[in-house]
Amino acid sequence: MAAFNTATTLAREILTNTGYARAAEEAHTLARQALTGSGDIDTTTPGYLTIRLDPLTTPRATAAISDLCQHLTTTQTRYPGTGLILRYEIKNP
C-alpha cells in the first residue's frame, strides 16, 4: 500500500508541478520510470542527503523528472529520523 501511495503522490506532483505536456496521460508511467531507474545517494554535503537520478530514456521525460526534482527539493523535507535535508537532482549526461 505504501508503494501505491508513493507512486500516486508522485504522479499527482508530476501533473501539478511540472511542465510535462502529456502528464495527464503519462504521469503514472513517468513516476514508475523514476522509481525504478538507477541513481546515487550522496552524503558528502553536510546537512544534506542528495538523491541523484540517472537521466531517463527520453529528453522530455528527463526534463519532467528534473522539474519534479526541483519541486521536491524546494519542500526542504528532512529524511526521517535525521536532520538531513533531502535534495533531488538529475545527473548530467
Side-chain angles (χ1 to χ4, degrees):
M1 192 60 149
F4 173 79
N5 288 338
T6 299
T8 300
T9 300
L10 286 176
R12 184 175 45 245
E13 293 297 323
I14 290 167
L15 184 62
T16 58
N17 293 301
T18 71
Y20 192 54
R22 297 195 42 88
E25 297 84 13
E26 299 176 3
H28 285 276
T29 301
L30 190 58
R32 194 168 36 256
Q33 286 177 350
L35 289 171
T36 59
S38 58
D40 298 318
I41 298 174
D42 179 6
T43 59
T44 58
T45 306
Y48 291 94
L49 179 66
T50 303
I51 310 302
R52 193 168 291 116
L53 302 173
D54 289 324
L56 298 180
T57 55
T58 64
R60 66 186 179 104
T62 300
I65 292 301
S66 180
D67 287 350
L68 178 63
C69 286
Q70 289 174 6
H71 170 69
L72 293 175
T73 297
T74 62
T75 66
Q76 296 284 300
T77 302
R78 296 194 184 276
Y79 187 77
T82 73
L84 299 175
I85 297 171
L86 290 166
R87 290 193 306 191
Y88 300 89
E89 301 173 350
I90 301 290
K91 291 180 188 175
N92 290 327

